[in-house]
Amino acid sequence: MDYLNALATNPKYHDVLTILKGFRNGVVYGAKVRFPHALVMTILFKTGSVQSKAKGILKATKQHALNLGKFATIYKTLMLVQKKLNGGKEASIHPFLAGIVGGYYVFGENNSINQQIILYLFSRVVLALVKVPVRKQIIEAPKNTYPVFAAVVWGLVMWLFRHETDTVQPSLRASMQYIYRDSDSWNSLKTLIWHNK
């Protein structure tokens, strides 16, 4: 055990061991995030036997965890390789290139887990990109930057839902259907107030 501890703390192996720890942390974080989400969504919305529900929860958790672990491994490996090829210095473009490769190979398959992760990231990226010009003092921040951003996002999603419904992500489309289209009709006080249909 002392030998393994000395190996783990040896600065000579630090860069390579960051890849191992990145994989570990990706898997752990993915499991922590996906398991409770899958559990709640399954309880609320899925039908079937307890066994099929449990399998679905475990499958979603495993996929999310392994995808984050694989991505971290690819990203950290490519960051290390690029740094070595660049004389031991990280260039500004390196994270972007490593992210593109990892994103393509790990999250390129169009499935529900990957869609949720990509949509989550996309929303955070767009929000961050809105802040970059202000932060870099390229433009002066108007008082209403965030309200304008919120207004444009809501305007776009409502237009897409109204005129290009099939392009909207299925779970968002379902919630919007419930709120905005199902509220257009009822046939009694019961279906107006207590029940949707």
Side-chain angles (χ1 to χ4, degrees):
M1 191 55 103
D2 289 339
Y3 172 75
L4 291 176
N5 198 32
L7 190 68
T9 57
N10 188 333
K12 182 174 152 182
Y13 303 113
H14 179 267
D15 288 347
V16 173
L17 292 176
T18 64
I19 296 167
L20 177 65
K21 180 124 188 207
F23 176 79
R24 178 250 182 231
N25 285 5
V27 169
V28 169
Y29 185 81
K32 282 179 162 182
V33 169
R34 179 54 60 177
F35 182 78
H37 177 269
L39 180 65
V40 169
M41 297 305 280
T42 299
I43 290 169
L44 292 176
F45 299 113
K46 298 283 183 183
T47 58
S49 68
V50 172
Q51 185 179 16
S52 71
K53 289 178 182 181
K55 281 183 183 178
I57 292 166
L58 293 176
K59 181 181 176 189
T61 301
K62 179 183 175 185
Q63 182 184 351
H64 194 139
L66 286 177
N67 281 2
L68 289 182
K70 287 179 203 173
F71 180 86
T73 301
I74 292 170
Y75 174 80
K76 289 182 131 325
T77 301
L78 290 177
M79 288 296 289
L80 182 60
V81 168
Q82 291 176 105
K83 185 177 176 182
K84 297 255 186 223
L85 292 174
N86 196 40
K89 296 178 186 170
E90 181 183 315
S92 177
I93 192 75
H94 289 171
F96 179 72
L97 296 174
I100 282 178
V101 173
Y104 183 84
Y105 285 107
V106 177
F107 294 102
E109 182 184 334
N110 189 359
N111 59 55
S112 62
I113 302 292
N114 286 352
Q115 278 185 8
Q116 289 171 359
I117 294 169
I118 297 305
L119 286 171
Y120 174 84
L121 290 176
F122 181 74
S123 65
R124 290 349 187 238
V125 166
V126 170
L127 190 56
L129 287 173
V130 167
K131 297 175 184 178
V132 169
V134 173
R135 188 169 174 261
K136 299 262 185 192
Q137 298 178 345
I138 296 169
I139 61 169
E140 191 174 325
K143 281 185 355 183
N144 298 331
T145 302
Y146 187 80
V148 168
F149 174 67
V152 169
V153 168
W154 274 100
L156 287 170
V157 76
M158 296 313 294
W159 184 87
L160 284 167
F161 177 67
R162 189 79 170 178
H163 298 290
E164 299 290 339
T165 307
D166 292 343
T167 65
V168 177
Q169 196 265 347
S171 64
L172 175 59
R173 184 171 61 234
S175 64
M176 294 183 82
Q177 171 72 34
Y178 182 83
I179 296 169
Y180 303 107
R181 287 199 178 135
D182 290 356
S183 62
D184 289 342
S185 60
W186 59 90
N187 58 18
S188 68
L189 182 62
K190 181 180 177 182
T191 58
L192 174 65
I193 304 292
W194 292 281
H195 294 284
N196 187 40
K197 292 182 180 181

